[in-house]
Amino acid sequence: MNIQWYPGHMTKAKRAMQEDIKLIDLIIELVDARAPLSSRNPDIDDLGRGKARMVLLNKADLASEAGNAAWTRYFEAKGFQVMKIDARQKASLKQIHSVIQEACKEKIERDRRRGILNRPVRAMVAGIPNVGKSTFINSFAGKAAAKTGNKPGVTKGNQWIRLNKQVELLDTPGILWPKFEDQSVGLKLAFLGSINDEILNKDELAAELCAFLLKAYPGLLAERYGIPEDRSPHELLEQIAIARSCLLKGGGYDVPRAARLLLEDFRSGKLGRITLEFPE
Ligand code: G4P
């Protein structure tokens, strides 16, 4: 399966990030907990040089506990402050202010030595499309705050959301572009639904997902759909169509519908909590 991205988007996104990064102290980087490496653009390490850094493993509710723990250790070992969150749930963000202070410890100390007291940390949220940036900003800053830019008379451009005395957040997230180092990265992003589905062959994609699940989570498809697993990925899709009565009007089984069903079940967590990749 050949998955493409558009270079035009990348150049524009990169330029916008470079400009915004000049304004901030802290980058709050969101990745998808189900595939934290595939859903992160490592160029951010260069772009964000000299800035305090935090990694949020978002959608942790959809990833396996073992995966979340392994990735937390992985990013902590790189020197980042890490939190696993479900951006839709405010309760999962409870610790965030203390983690921000920890991430910005050096900056706060530097300020103190220069006699600057209580200058708020300026932060921006960044990540590739669909990792949950807007959801996070809404939960973290509150709906009213996130809407500031839409009010009539408010000038466009950078708006700051004052969260409290210690933190100000740029209201627009930094959009990073996915980095397709190899096809397997593209494939994982496609499983997650982070690539425009229109350009993908869903039957192929669902068959690839079947192949992955058979290998990494044996027994899962059998349990969810009550089907035998000793089949090829394409035959498995047919089995799902049979099990779920995906029927064509003129007779026969609607395999494309079964493919969409499988992808939807995976993306919504109905197949269970699944991590697509683990640190080496
Ligand atoms: P973005 O700004 O980075 O592009 O992402 P956005 O916030 O739009 O979130 C993309 C999708 O991911 C949304 O679903 C959102 O609800 C979902 N999402 C965000 N954070 C989490 C999380 O921690 N856990 C889970 N399970 N889902 C999360 P959607 O289907 O596109 O929209 P909607 O159904 O919420 O309207």
Side-chain angles (χ1 to χ4, degrees):
M1 214 173 166
N2 199 16
I3 299 164
Q4 303 289 343
W5 189 252
Y6 316 108
H9 278 79
M10 296 189 217
T11 329
K12 218 171 139 198
K14 191 164 186 171
R15 218 171 290 135
M17 276 287 288
Q18 276 165 334
E19 284 310 305
D20 284 348
I21 278 179
K22 290 181 193 156
L23 308 171
I24 53 130
D25 310 299
L26 167 71
I27 301 175
I28 302 176
E29 182 189 359
L30 266 74
V31 297
D32 191 309
R34 292 167 294 176
L37 278 197
S38 297
S39 65
R40 110 178 263 262
N41 184 329
D43 290 0
I44 196 170
D45 292 337
D46 268 339
L47 282 168
R49 203 168 289 281
K51 304 293 174 183
R53 302 285 301 279
M54 244 172 100
V55 170
L56 300 182
L57 297 170
N58 191 35
K59 309 196 188 185
D61 56 301
L62 296 172
S64 72
E65 291 283 6
N68 291 342
W71 286 110
T72 301
R73 286 195 299 276
Y74 172 89
F75 285 112
E76 279 176 351
K78 287 191 174 300
F80 298 130
Q81 292 297 317
V82 187
M83 256 181 89
K84 47 182 189 185
I85 63 164
D86 172 349
R88 300 163 313 164
Q89 309 287 341
K90 264 192 171 171
S92 76
L93 306 178
K94 259 195 300 211
Q95 306 294 329
I96 197 159
H97 282 290
S98 59
V99 179
I100 289 177
Q101 294 305 307
E102 188 59 32
C104 297
K105 216 166 47 186
E106 280 175 28
K107 176 215 163 287
I108 293 165
E109 187 47 39
R110 214 164 42 232
D111 278 357
R112 204 195 317 271
R113 280 201 301 271
R114 290 180 188 150
I116 306 166
L117 291 179
N118 303 325
R119 189 170 73 85
V121 166
R122 289 196 146 185
M124 83 182 287
V125 171
I128 69 164
N130 204 45
V131 284
K133 299 177 296 297
S134 323
T135 310
F136 171 74
I137 293 177
N138 271 338
S139 295
F140 186 39
K143 290 204 167 61
K147 278 190 195 139
T148 321
N150 296 334
K151 281 186 196 155
V154 173
T155 44
K156 277 213 168 147
N158 287 315
Q159 302 278 324
W160 295 92
I161 306 168
R162 198 179 178 103
L163 297 177
N164 57 27
K165 277 186 186 150
Q166 282 109 33
V167 187
E168 285 178 7
L169 184 70
L170 204 55
D171 75 344
T172 41
I175 299 176
L176 294 162
W177 51 103
K179 190 145 189 161
F180 289 27
E181 275 142 359
D182 54 50
Q183 280 299 306
S184 87
V185 171
L187 203 55
K188 285 176 219 166
L189 292 174
F191 291 163
L192 298 176
S194 296
I195 289 175
N196 190 352
D197 263 349
E198 306 303 310
I199 61 169
L200 298 170
N201 176 337
K202 287 222 178 106
D203 294 5
E204 275 308 311
L205 187 62
E208 295 275 8
L209 182 58
C210 277
F212 167 81
L213 292 171
L214 279 180
K215 205 166 150 216
Y217 293 82
L220 195 109
L221 290 171
E223 191 186 319
R224 169 78 186 159
Y225 300 109
I227 56 172
E229 284 198 344
D230 55 344
R231 307 288 156 98
S232 73
H234 283 281
E235 285 165 348
L236 280 173
L237 287 180
E238 209 173 282
Q239 289 291 322
I240 295 173
I242 296 168
R244 287 300 152 104
S245 306
C246 301
L247 301 169
L248 287 169
K249 268 195 191 135
Y253 290 101
D254 190 346
V255 175
R257 206 170 112 209
R260 290 196 302 275
L261 189 102
L262 174 72
L263 289 169
E264 187 43 44
D265 281 356
F266 165 70
R267 290 171 185 168
S268 64
K270 285 196 187 115
L271 284 183
R273 296 175 64 177
I274 294 170
T275 294
L276 295 176
E277 63 191 13
F278 279 82
E280 300 244 311

